[in-house]
Amino acid sequence: MKPNTYVPSLNWNKVYGNTSGTIYQSDEEKCWFIDFAGKIARFDYRNILKLKKAVYNIDIEALLLSNDKSGDLEIIFICACDHCYVLSLMEIIAIKDLLQGTFVMLELNHIIQDRLHRVIA
């Protein structure tokens, strides 16, 4: 089975990006595209919230302070989603920053829209 490959479209709106990746929103397709770790993955809003929860639940301090000989890798798999991430500790920090920035931008957009509609009304 050939994996889905996406090329950023002109209809995608960049929500947030850092040196490790970018998150786009597509109003046309009613979904989100995450360009991270060498692939572009498509998520609906429910699944991006699940991804956020999975990443936020990783205890980075515990991984850093662990004396185990196991690798510093985490596998993030979201139910009802075709994508899986196998991330190193640095990639976990990068995707956490990417998701935090995205949700801050969404909240900021919501606040601006709310204020504009209050002034007009």
Side-chain angles (χ1 to χ4, degrees):
M1 187 170 148
K2 184 179 175 185
N4 291 336
T5 56
Y6 298 101
V7 177
S9 167
L10 295 176
N11 298 328
W12 293 3
N13 299 312
K14 181 178 176 180
V15 178
Y16 182 77
N18 61 18
T19 56
S20 301
T22 307
I23 296 184
Y24 301 95
Q25 180 181 12
S26 172
D27 293 333
E28 240 177 45
E29 299 179 48
K30 296 182 175 78
C31 65
W32 301 79
F33 291 94
I34 299 178
D35 182 2
F36 184 79
K39 71 176 182 177
I40 298 177
R42 183 179 193 268
F43 290 87
D44 64 11
Y45 188 69
R46 185 184 50 191
N47 286 337
I48 204 168
L49 288 175
K50 289 179 185 179
L51 177 65
K52 177 185 169 191
K53 182 178 178 182
V55 169
Y56 281 33
N57 283 336
I58 297 172
D59 190 357
I60 296 171
E61 280 186 50
L63 289 173
L64 285 170
L65 299 174
S66 175
N67 290 332
D68 292 344
K69 299 214 186 244
S70 63
D72 292 336
L73 292 176
E74 286 287 325
I75 299 173
I76 300 175
F77 175 75
I78 309 298
C79 289
C81 186
D82 296 338
H83 306 289
C84 171
Y85 289 102
V86 179
L87 304 173
S88 68
L89 194 54
M90 294 305 292
E91 289 173 324
I92 293 168
I93 294 169
I95 197 168
K96 187 172 187 178
D97 174 62
L98 188 63
L99 290 168
Q100 283 176 338
T102 298
F103 282 94
V104 165
M105 289 298 123
L106 292 174
E107 182 64 27
L108 179 62
N109 186 40
H110 176 73
I111 291 169
I112 291 170
Q113 291 296 322
D114 185 50
R115 297 296 185 253
L116 286 174
H117 289 303
R118 280 188 191 173
V119 170
I120 293 172

mmCIF file of all heavy atoms in Angstrom, residues 18-23 34-39 51 54-56 58 60 63-64 71-76 84-100:
data_model
loop_
_atom_site.group_PDB
_atom_site.id
_atom_site.type_symbol
_atom_site.label_atom_id
_atom_site.label_comp_id
_atom_site.label_asym_id
_atom_site.label_seq_id
_atom_site.Cartn_x
_atom_site.Cartn_y
_atom_site.Cartn_z
ATOM 1 N N ASN A 18 8.105 25.979 13.536
ATOM 2 C CA ASN A 18 9.397 26.216 14.167
ATOM 3 C C ASN A 18 10.456 25.554 13.288
ATOM 4 O O ASN A 18 10.165 25.129 12.176
ATOM 5 C CB ASN A 18 9.416 25.712 15.618
ATOM 6 C CG ASN A 18 9.169 24.226 15.754
ATOM 7 O OD1 ASN A 18 9.298 23.462 14.808
ATOM 8 N ND2 ASN A 18 8.814 23.803 16.959
ATOM 9 N N THR A 19 11.676 25.467 13.758
ATOM 10 C CA THR A 19 12.743 24.909 12.936
ATOM 11 C C THR A 19 12.555 23.421 12.662
ATOM 12 O O THR A 19 13.142 22.886 11.734
ATOM 13 C CB THR A 19 14.115 25.122 13.598
ATOM 14 O OG1 THR A 19 14.088 24.544 14.909
ATOM 15 C CG2 THR A 19 14.449 26.599 13.695
ATOM 16 N N SER A 20 11.725 22.753 13.447
ATOM 17 C CA SER A 20 11.522 21.312 13.290
ATOM 18 C C SER A 20 10.326 20.931 12.439
ATOM 19 O O SER A 20 10.256 19.819 11.937
ATOM 20 C CB SER A 20 11.356 20.662 14.661
ATOM 21 O OG SER A 20 12.487 20.898 15.453
ATOM 22 N N GLY A 21 9.372 21.828 12.302
ATOM 23 C CA GLY A 21 8.182 21.468 11.534
ATOM 24 C C GLY A 21 7.188 22.609 11.451
ATOM 25 O O GLY A 21 7.420 23.699 11.958
ATOM 26 N N THR A 22 6.060 22.309 10.819
ATOM 27 C CA THR A 22 5.000 23.294 10.611
ATOM 28 C C THR A 22 3.650 22.601 10.698
ATOM 29 O O THR A 22 3.518 21.447 10.305
ATOM 30 C CB THR A 22 5.137 23.948 9.221
ATOM 31 O OG1 THR A 22 6.470 24.448 9.077
ATOM 32 C CG2 THR A 22 4.163 25.083 9.031
ATOM 33 N N ILE A 23 2.668 23.321 11.205
ATOM 34 C CA ILE A 23 1.295 22.820 11.224
ATOM 35 C C ILE A 23 0.449 23.749 10.363
ATOM 36 O O ILE A 23 0.485 24.969 10.518
ATOM 37 C CB ILE A 23 0.735 22.718 12.650
ATOM 38 C CG1 ILE A 23 1.537 21.688 13.444
ATOM 39 C CG2 ILE A 23 -0.757 22.354 12.618
ATOM 40 C CD1 ILE A 23 1.027 21.409 14.838
ATOM 41 N N ILE A 34 0.380 18.136 9.555
ATOM 42 C CA ILE A 34 1.577 18.344 10.357
ATOM 43 C C ILE A 34 2.777 17.906 9.538
ATOM 44 O O ILE A 34 2.885 16.742 9.150
ATOM 45 C CB ILE A 34 1.510 17.556 11.681
ATOM 46 C CG1 ILE A 34 0.315 18.021 12.515
ATOM 47 C CG2 ILE A 34 2.810 17.725 12.455
ATOM 48 C CD1 ILE A 34 0.139 17.273 13.810
ATOM 49 N N ASP A 35 3.638 18.844 9.264
ATOM 50 C CA ASP A 35 4.888 18.588 8.548
ATOM 51 C C ASP A 35 5.974 18.455 9.615
ATOM 52 O O ASP A 35 6.479 19.457 10.135
ATOM 53 C CB ASP A 35 5.178 19.743 7.599
ATOM 54 C CG ASP A 35 6.443 19.534 6.783
ATOM 55 O OD1 ASP A 35 7.076 18.477 6.921
ATOM 56 O OD2 ASP A 35 6.787 20.442 6.008
ATOM 57 N N PHE A 36 6.303 17.217 9.976
ATOM 58 C CA PHE A 36 7.247 16.969 11.060
ATOM 59 C C PHE A 36 7.917 15.617 10.857
ATOM 60 O O PHE A 36 7.292 14.678 10.374
ATOM 61 C CB PHE A 36 6.515 16.985 12.412
ATOM 62 C CG PHE A 36 7.420 16.837 13.587
ATOM 63 C CD1 PHE A 36 8.151 17.904 14.047
ATOM 64 C CD2 PHE A 36 7.560 15.616 14.220
ATOM 65 C CE1 PHE A 36 9.008 17.771 15.132
ATOM 66 C CE2 PHE A 36 8.404 15.470 15.296
ATOM 67 C CZ PHE A 36 9.132 16.549 15.759
ATOM 68 N N ALA A 37 9.166 15.519 11.232
ATOM 69 C CA ALA A 37 9.943 14.271 11.202
ATOM 70 C C ALA A 37 9.980 13.656 9.799
ATOM 71 O O ALA A 37 9.884 12.443 9.639
ATOM 72 C CB ALA A 37 9.407 13.271 12.226
ATOM 73 N N GLY A 38 10.080 14.502 8.797
ATOM 74 C CA GLY A 38 10.246 14.012 7.444
ATOM 75 C C GLY A 38 8.992 13.555 6.737
ATOM 76 O O GLY A 38 9.069 12.955 5.665
ATOM 77 N N LYS A 39 7.823 13.820 7.322
ATOM 78 C CA LYS A 39 6.581 13.446 6.635
ATOM 79 C C LYS A 39 5.500 14.476 6.926
ATOM 80 O O LYS A 39 5.557 15.202 7.905
ATOM 81 C CB LYS A 39 6.122 12.052 7.028
ATOM 82 C CG LYS A 39 5.579 11.925 8.439
ATOM 83 C CD LYS A 39 5.066 10.517 8.692
ATOM 84 C CE LYS A 39 4.488 10.387 10.085
ATOM 85 N NZ LYS A 39 3.937 9.071 10.311
ATOM 86 N N LEU A 51 -3.230 13.676 19.746
ATOM 87 C CA LEU A 51 -1.781 13.771 19.607
ATOM 88 C C LEU A 51 -1.211 14.704 20.668
ATOM 89 O O LEU A 51 -0.202 14.399 21.310
ATOM 90 C CB LEU A 51 -1.406 14.261 18.205
ATOM 91 C CG LEU A 51 0.084 14.484 17.946
ATOM 92 C CD1 LEU A 51 0.844 13.162 18.024
ATOM 93 C CD2 LEU A 51 0.283 15.136 16.588
ATOM 94 N N ALA A 54 -1.213 12.922 23.979
ATOM 95 C CA ALA A 54 -0.181 11.887 24.036
ATOM 96 C C ALA A 54 1.203 12.500 24.229
ATOM 97 O O ALA A 54 2.005 11.992 25.021
ATOM 98 C CB ALA A 54 -0.217 11.040 22.769
ATOM 99 N N VAL A 55 1.487 13.584 23.531
ATOM 100 C CA VAL A 55 2.798 14.232 23.656
ATOM 101 C C VAL A 55 2.946 14.887 25.024
ATOM 102 O O VAL A 55 3.998 14.787 25.657
ATOM 103 C CB VAL A 55 3.002 15.258 22.515
ATOM 104 C CG1 VAL A 55 4.222 16.125 22.759
ATOM 105 C CG2 VAL A 55 3.115 14.547 21.181
ATOM 106 N N TYR A 56 1.899 15.539 25.505
ATOM 107 C CA TYR A 56 1.966 16.207 26.811
ATOM 108 C C TYR A 56 2.101 15.199 27.949
ATOM 109 O O TYR A 56 2.604 15.549 29.015
ATOM 110 C CB TYR A 56 0.730 17.069 27.032
ATOM 111 C CG TYR A 56 0.757 18.403 26.327
ATOM 112 C CD1 TYR A 56 1.385 18.578 25.103
ATOM 113 C CD2 TYR A 56 0.139 19.506 26.879
ATOM 114 C CE1 TYR A 56 1.395 19.796 24.453
ATOM 115 C CE2 TYR A 56 0.144 20.735 26.241
ATOM 116 C CZ TYR A 56 0.775 20.876 25.028
ATOM 117 O OH TYR A 56 0.781 22.088 24.398
ATOM 118 N N ILE A 58 3.983 12.601 27.994
ATOM 119 C CA ILE A 58 5.336 12.050 28.067
ATOM 120 C C ILE A 58 6.118 12.837 29.114
ATOM 121 O O ILE A 58 6.219 14.061 29.044
ATOM 122 C CB ILE A 58 6.041 12.127 26.699
ATOM 123 C CG1 ILE A 58 5.300 11.266 25.681
ATOM 124 C CG2 ILE A 58 7.492 11.672 26.827
ATOM 125 C CD1 ILE A 58 5.809 11.421 24.268
ATOM 126 N N ILE A 60 9.227 14.075 30.176
ATOM 127 C CA ILE A 60 10.555 14.320 29.625
ATOM 128 C C ILE A 60 11.612 14.260 30.728
ATOM 129 O O ILE A 60 12.694 13.711 30.530
ATOM 130 C CB ILE A 60 10.591 15.667 28.876
ATOM 131 C CG1 ILE A 60 9.651 15.595 27.668
ATOM 132 C CG2 ILE A 60 12.001 16.019 28.428
ATOM 133 C CD1 ILE A 60 9.426 16.905 26.977
ATOM 134 N N LEU A 63 12.502 10.711 31.508
ATOM 135 C CA LEU A 63 13.344 10.137 30.452
ATOM 136 C C LEU A 63 14.785 10.621 30.578
ATOM 137 O O LEU A 63 15.733 9.859 30.371
ATOM 138 C CB LEU A 63 12.794 10.488 29.072
ATOM 139 C CG LEU A 63 11.507 9.795 28.654
ATOM 140 C CD1 LEU A 63 10.997 10.374 27.336
ATOM 141 C CD2 LEU A 63 11.728 8.309 28.512
ATOM 142 N N LEU A 64 14.958 11.887 30.913
ATOM 143 C CA LEU A 64 16.297 12.446 31.043
ATOM 144 C C LEU A 64 17.041 11.885 32.256
ATOM 145 O O LEU A 64 18.245 11.654 32.208
ATOM 146 C CB LEU A 64 16.236 13.974 31.149
ATOM 147 C CG LEU A 64 15.956 14.729 29.867
ATOM 148 C CD1 LEU A 64 15.680 16.193 30.163
ATOM 149 C CD2 LEU A 64 17.114 14.597 28.903
ATOM 150 N N GLY A 71 16.533 2.700 25.174
ATOM 151 C CA GLY A 71 16.708 3.865 24.318
ATOM 152 C C GLY A 71 15.789 4.997 24.712
ATOM 153 O O GLY A 71 14.777 4.814 25.383
ATOM 154 N N ASP A 72 16.167 6.178 24.319
ATOM 155 C CA ASP A 72 15.353 7.354 24.598
ATOM 156 C C ASP A 72 14.373 7.599 23.471
ATOM 157 O O ASP A 72 14.306 8.682 22.903
ATOM 158 C CB ASP A 72 16.242 8.581 24.781
ATOM 159 C CG ASP A 72 17.088 8.513 26.028
ATOM 160 O OD1 ASP A 72 16.698 7.795 26.948
ATOM 161 O OD2 ASP A 72 18.132 9.179 26.073
ATOM 162 N N LEU A 73 13.600 6.583 23.142
ATOM 163 C CA LEU A 73 12.613 6.685 22.074
ATOM 164 C C LEU A 73 11.226 6.496 22.645
ATOM 165 O O LEU A 73 11.016 5.733 23.581
ATOM 166 C CB LEU A 73 12.856 5.628 20.999
ATOM 167 C CG LEU A 73 14.119 5.762 20.156
ATOM 168 C CD1 LEU A 73 14.233 4.584 19.210
ATOM 169 C CD2 LEU A 73 14.123 7.055 19.377
ATOM 170 N N GLU A 74 10.286 7.194 22.062
ATOM 171 C CA GLU A 74 8.878 7.033 22.395
ATOM 172 C C GLU A 74 8.117 6.781 21.108
ATOM 173 O O GLU A 74 8.391 7.405 20.080
ATOM 174 C CB GLU A 74 8.314 8.281 23.073
ATOM 175 C CG GLU A 74 8.756 8.483 24.492
ATOM 176 C CD GLU A 74 8.113 7.516 25.470
ATOM 177 O OE1 GLU A 74 6.927 7.153 25.289
ATOM 178 O OE2 GLU A 74 8.801 7.121 26.424
ATOM 179 N N ILE A 75 7.171 5.871 21.175
ATOM 180 C CA ILE A 75 6.300 5.601 20.039
ATOM 181 C C ILE A 75 4.950 6.225 20.345
ATOM 182 O O ILE A 75 4.343 5.916 21.366
ATOM 183 C CB ILE A 75 6.153 4.090 19.788
ATOM 184 C CG1 ILE A 75 7.521 3.498 19.473
ATOM 185 C CG2 ILE A 75 5.165 3.828 18.661
ATOM 186 C CD1 ILE A 75 7.535 1.991 19.380
ATOM 187 N N ILE A 76 4.522 7.102 19.473
ATOM 188 C CA ILE A 76 3.231 7.765 19.651
ATOM 189 C C ILE A 76 2.303 7.262 18.558
ATOM 190 O O ILE A 76 2.545 7.486 17.372
ATOM 191 C CB ILE A 76 3.370 9.293 19.585
ATOM 192 C CG1 ILE A 76 4.305 9.769 20.691
ATOM 193 C CG2 ILE A 76 2.010 9.959 19.688
ATOM 194 C CD1 ILE A 76 4.606 11.244 20.647
ATOM 195 N N CYS A 84 1.893 7.156 12.885
ATOM 196 C CA CYS A 84 2.609 6.769 14.075
ATOM 197 C C CYS A 84 3.939 7.524 14.071
ATOM 198 O O CYS A 84 4.550 7.693 13.016
ATOM 199 C CB CYS A 84 2.828 5.253 14.056
ATOM 200 S SG CYS A 84 3.917 4.650 15.324
ATOM 201 N N TYR A 85 4.361 7.986 15.208
ATOM 202 C CA TYR A 85 5.643 8.668 15.316
ATOM 203 C C TYR A 85 6.546 7.889 16.253
ATOM 204 O O TYR A 85 6.132 7.493 17.344
ATOM 205 C CB TYR A 85 5.474 10.087 15.873
ATOM 206 C CG TYR A 85 4.817 11.056 14.930
ATOM 207 C CD1 TYR A 85 3.478 11.406 15.078
ATOM 208 C CD2 TYR A 85 5.532 11.626 13.889
ATOM 209 C CE1 TYR A 85 2.878 12.303 14.213
ATOM 210 C CE2 TYR A 85 4.942 12.528 13.014
ATOM 211 C CZ TYR A 85 3.618 12.854 13.189
ATOM 212 O OH TYR A 85 3.025 13.743 12.332
ATOM 213 N N VAL A 86 7.784 7.666 15.829
ATOM 214 C CA VAL A 86 8.830 7.110 16.682
ATOM 215 C C VAL A 86 9.818 8.250 16.870
ATOM 216 O O VAL A 86 10.520 8.634 15.937
ATOM 217 C CB VAL A 86 9.516 5.883 16.039
ATOM 218 C CG1 VAL A 86 10.602 5.353 16.944
ATOM 219 C CG2 VAL A 86 8.485 4.807 15.731
ATOM 220 N N LEU A 87 9.825 8.803 18.086
ATOM 221 C CA LEU A 87 10.545 10.045 18.321
ATOM 222 C C LEU A 87 11.643 9.898 19.356
ATOM 223 O O LEU A 87 11.472 9.231 20.377
ATOM 224 C CB LEU A 87 9.560 11.128 18.799
ATOM 225 C CG LEU A 87 8.377 11.425 17.891
ATOM 226 C CD1 LEU A 87 7.413 12.373 18.580
ATOM 227 C CD2 LEU A 87 8.854 12.002 16.576
ATOM 228 N N SER A 88 12.746 10.576 19.090
ATOM 229 C CA SER A 88 13.820 10.671 20.072
ATOM 230 C C SER A 88 13.435 11.744 21.091
ATOM 231 O O SER A 88 12.437 12.460 20.914
ATOM 232 C CB SER A 88 15.134 11.039 19.384
ATOM 233 O OG SER A 88 15.054 12.365 18.896
ATOM 234 N N LEU A 89 14.242 11.881 22.110
ATOM 235 C CA LEU A 89 13.960 12.864 23.144
ATOM 236 C C LEU A 89 13.930 14.288 22.579
ATOM 237 O O LEU A 89 13.040 15.083 22.908
ATOM 238 C CB LEU A 89 15.010 12.756 24.254
ATOM 239 C CG LEU A 89 14.713 13.448 25.556
ATOM 240 C CD1 LEU A 89 13.368 13.005 26.118
ATOM 241 C CD2 LEU A 89 15.802 13.164 26.557
ATOM 242 N N MET A 90 14.865 14.601 21.703
ATOM 243 C CA MET A 90 14.898 15.942 21.104
ATOM 244 C C MET A 90 13.683 16.172 20.196
ATOM 245 O O MET A 90 13.141 17.280 20.152
ATOM 246 C CB MET A 90 16.194 16.147 20.314
ATOM 247 C CG MET A 90 17.431 16.161 21.192
ATOM 248 S SD MET A 90 17.366 17.371 22.521
ATOM 249 C CE MET A 90 17.432 18.880 21.617
ATOM 250 N N GLU A 91 13.240 15.147 19.494
ATOM 251 C CA GLU A 91 12.060 15.279 18.635
ATOM 252 C C GLU A 91 10.799 15.433 19.474
ATOM 253 O O GLU A 91 9.871 16.152 19.082
ATOM 254 C CB GLU A 91 11.940 14.077 17.713
ATOM 255 C CG GLU A 91 12.985 14.037 16.627
ATOM 256 C CD GLU A 91 12.958 12.760 15.815
ATOM 257 O OE1 GLU A 91 12.695 11.675 16.390
ATOM 258 O OE2 GLU A 91 13.209 12.839 14.599
ATOM 259 N N ILE A 92 10.758 14.787 20.638
ATOM 260 C CA ILE A 92 9.607 14.946 21.541
ATOM 261 C C ILE A 92 9.507 16.397 21.995
ATOM 262 O O ILE A 92 8.428 16.994 21.985
ATOM 263 C CB ILE A 92 9.725 14.000 22.756
ATOM 264 C CG1 ILE A 92 9.602 12.544 22.325
ATOM 265 C CG2 ILE A 92 8.665 14.339 23.808
ATOM 266 C CD1 ILE A 92 9.988 11.543 23.393
ATOM 267 N N ILE A 93 10.639 16.963 22.371
ATOM 268 C CA ILE A 93 10.659 18.372 22.791
ATOM 269 C C ILE A 93 10.230 19.273 21.630
ATOM 270 O O ILE A 93 9.453 20.214 21.819
ATOM 271 C CB ILE A 93 12.054 18.754 23.325
ATOM 272 C CG1 ILE A 93 12.338 17.981 24.615
ATOM 273 C CG2 ILE A 93 12.164 20.255 23.555
ATOM 274 C CD1 ILE A 93 13.770 18.056 25.094
ATOM 275 N N ALA A 94 10.696 18.978 20.429
ATOM 276 C CA ALA A 94 10.359 19.803 19.260
ATOM 277 C C ALA A 94 8.881 19.718 18.908
ATOM 278 O O ALA A 94 8.245 20.740 18.617
ATOM 279 C CB ALA A 94 11.209 19.377 18.067
ATOM 280 N N ILE A 95 8.302 18.509 18.941
ATOM 281 C CA ILE A 95 6.878 18.400 18.587
ATOM 282 C C ILE A 95 6.008 18.996 19.694
ATOM 283 O O ILE A 95 4.948 19.551 19.426
ATOM 284 C CB ILE A 95 6.463 16.953 18.241
ATOM 285 C CG1 ILE A 95 5.129 16.972 17.476
ATOM 286 C CG2 ILE A 95 6.371 16.076 19.478
ATOM 287 C CD1 ILE A 95 4.747 15.667 16.825
ATOM 288 N N LYS A 96 6.472 18.916 20.930
ATOM 289 C CA LYS A 96 5.726 19.537 22.028
ATOM 290 C C LYS A 96 5.696 21.050 21.831
ATOM 291 O O LYS A 96 4.649 21.676 21.986
ATOM 292 C CB LYS A 96 6.355 19.176 23.367
ATOM 293 C CG LYS A 96 5.553 19.624 24.552
ATOM 294 C CD LYS A 96 6.113 19.068 25.845
ATOM 295 C CE LYS A 96 5.203 19.381 27.000
ATOM 296 N NZ LYS A 96 5.683 18.823 28.250
ATOM 297 N N ASP A 97 6.832 21.637 21.461
ATOM 298 C CA ASP A 97 6.895 23.065 21.178
ATOM 299 C C ASP A 97 5.990 23.421 19.996
ATOM 300 O O ASP A 97 5.282 24.424 20.027
ATOM 301 C CB ASP A 97 8.330 23.480 20.879
ATOM 302 C CG ASP A 97 8.427 24.929 20.440
ATOM 303 O OD1 ASP A 97 8.073 25.809 21.244
ATOM 304 O OD2 ASP A 97 8.835 25.169 19.282
ATOM 305 N N LEU A 98 6.008 22.582 18.977
ATOM 306 C CA LEU A 98 5.178 22.815 17.794
ATOM 307 C C LEU A 98 3.691 22.808 18.156
ATOM 308 O O LEU A 98 2.935 23.689 17.740
ATOM 309 C CB LEU A 98 5.482 21.752 16.738
ATOM 310 C CG LEU A 98 4.857 21.922 15.369
ATOM 311 C CD1 LEU A 98 5.362 23.185 14.691
ATOM 312 C CD2 LEU A 98 5.173 20.711 14.502
ATOM 313 N N LEU A 99 3.271 21.836 18.949
ATOM 314 C CA LEU A 99 1.860 21.757 19.352
ATOM 315 C C LEU A 99 1.485 22.895 20.297
ATOM 316 O O LEU A 99 0.397 23.473 20.176
ATOM 317 C CB LEU A 99 1.572 20.400 19.992
ATOM 318 C CG LEU A 99 1.593 19.224 19.016
ATOM 319 C CD1 LEU A 99 1.597 17.904 19.769
ATOM 320 C CD2 LEU A 99 0.413 19.290 18.071
ATOM 321 N N GLN A 100 2.371 23.238 21.231
ATOM 322 C CA GLN A 100 2.086 24.353 22.137
ATOM 323 C C GLN A 100 1.911 25.647 21.364
ATOM 324 O O GLN A 100 0.959 26.401 21.605
ATOM 325 C CB GLN A 100 3.208 24.516 23.163
ATOM 326 C CG GLN A 100 3.184 23.515 24.269
ATOM 327 C CD GLN A 100 4.381 23.666 25.207
ATOM 328 O OE1 GLN A 100 5.409 24.226 24.853
ATOM 329 N NE2 GLN A 100 4.238 23.133 26.407
#
